């Protein structure tokens, strides 16, 4: 893995973009909850939006969802066939274990300014050990809270163009949520919510369709 720029469990979150309820918790989730600003450039972001908008426009904004406490959203699951989408899939793949790469289709979630994703843990039936999300358009705050010790929390500031990665304990032992506008603060910093589009990558749960290990980069 490349030092500093890597996305594996050794990677460091950008400290300006992460707040923790305690230094101990920050240490415990080091490498497991990761945030990286400027992961995609403004040009790439514009291209990605052009590629996913037609798929999003086919759906209507929904008020809520049967399984997640989510409001004011529309979503689609789509293969990334455009150049920017394919390039992004390749760039997030190092965040995943080699034998558990991301599924080739991304979950595209379009949240209205008044929308929220309430606290939840992604289904262990449909989602494996790693979740990686790229945020476009509006900044937002991703909040993690321990299922066992609710006083333990983490906040990630998701700026447009940023990447976050949740894995291991951060994925299984904490809920995550996108704060609604009226609660959208990163510490004392108000983070006003506009429309936000997220491209979320997940892998398969263990036990089904294990992938053969990938060839190392540079292999022909
Ligand atoms: C989800 C989710 C977070 C995000 O859809 O399961 O947690 O970044 N979304 O929008
Ligand atoms: Mn989720």
């Amino acid at each position: 893995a490349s030092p500093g720029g890597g996305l594996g469990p050794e990677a460091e979150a950008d400290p300006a973009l992460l707040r923790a309820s305690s230094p101990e918790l920050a240490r415990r989730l080091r490498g497991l909850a990761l945030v990286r600003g400027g992961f995609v450039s403004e040009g790439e972001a514009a291209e990605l939006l052009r590629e996913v908008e037609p798929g999003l426009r086919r759906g209507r904004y929904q008020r809520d969802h049967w399984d997640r406490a989510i409001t004011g959203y529309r979503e689609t699951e789509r293969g990334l066939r455009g150049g920017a989408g394919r390039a992004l899939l390749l760039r997030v793949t190092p965040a995943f274990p080699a034998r558990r790469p991301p599924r080739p289709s991304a979950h595209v979630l379009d949240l209205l300014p008044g929308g929220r994703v309430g606290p939840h843990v992604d289904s262990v039936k449909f989602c494996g050990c790693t979740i990686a999300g790229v945020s476009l358009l509006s900044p937002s705050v991703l909040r993690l809270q321990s299922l066992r010790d609710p006083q333990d929390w983490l906040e990630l500031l998701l700026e447009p163009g940023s990447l976050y990665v949740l894995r291991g304990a951060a994925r299984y032992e904490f809920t995550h949520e996108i704060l609604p506008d009226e609660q959208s603060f990163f510490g004392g910093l108000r983070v006003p919510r506009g429309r936000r589009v997220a491209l979320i990558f997940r892998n398969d749960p263990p036990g089904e369709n294990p992938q053969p290990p990938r060839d190392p980069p540079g292999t022909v």
Side-chain angles (χ1 to χ4, degrees):
S2 43
L7 295 177
E10 79 297 337
E12 298 281 341
D14 187 334
L17 304 179
L18 191 143
R19 299 180 68 250
S21 51
S22 72
E24 292 72 27
L25 184 70
R27 258 198 305 279
R28 180 147 79 86
L29 293 187
R30 203 162 149 182
L32 304 179
L34 198 69
V35 54
R36 194 60 61 77
F39 188 73
V40 303
S41 69
E42 280 180 38
E44 283 172 283
E47 192 57 41
L48 286 165
L49 283 166
R50 262 196 298 279
E51 290 179 9
V52 301
E53 285 277 15
L56 286 173
R57 270 201 293 270
R58 267 180 243 124
R60 284 208 277 135
Y61 283 103
Q62 314 279 314
R63 281 248 291 286
D64 49 37
H65 184 272
W66 58 276
D67 167 24
R68 293 169 295 166
I70 179 170
T71 62
Y73 75 103
R74 56 187 184 178
E75 64 189 344
T76 169
E77 185 84 26
R78 75 189 312 265
L80 297 170
R81 271 169 249 114
R86 285 205 313 257
L88 183 63
L89 175 64
L90 287 177
R91 290 186 57 218
V92 303
T93 295
F96 291 76
R99 283 172 186 279
R100 290 282 164 196
R103 290 194 282 258
S105 60
H107 171 203
V108 185
L109 180 61
D110 179 353
L111 267 189
L112 291 169
R116 71 177 296 187
V117 181
H120 69 281
V121 176
D122 280 27
S123 163
V124 295
K125 275 227 285 277
F126 302 114
C127 172
C129 61
T130 305
I131 303 166
V134 170
S135 303
L136 305 174
L137 294 178
S138 170
S140 61
V141 178
L142 182 75
R143 188 167 196 277
L144 272 62
Q145 185 166 25
S146 168
L147 289 165
R148 204 181 41 204
D149 303 300
Q151 76 279 8
D152 286 348
W153 55 261
L154 219 61
E155 284 171 1
L156 277 56
L157 178 58
L158 305 181
E159 290 168 334
S162 67
L163 169 79
Y164 70 84
V165 180
L166 303 179
R167 60 185 146 221
R171 180 258 184 270
Y172 291 111
E173 297 170 26
F174 286 70
T175 59
H176 58 269
E177 66 185 302
I178 297 287
L179 297 178
D181 184 60
E182 66 272 15
Q183 286 165 236
S184 190
F185 287 85
F186 180 68
L189 179 70
R190 164 92 175 121
V191 182
R193 284 271 319 281
R195 179 186 170 216
R196 168 181 180 269
V197 172
L199 277 65
I200 305 165
F201 298 86
R202 300 181 174 91
N203 54 3
D204 284 326
E208 54 181 78
N209 309 322
Q211 301 292 312
R214 282 167 294 139
D215 291 329
T219 309
V220 183

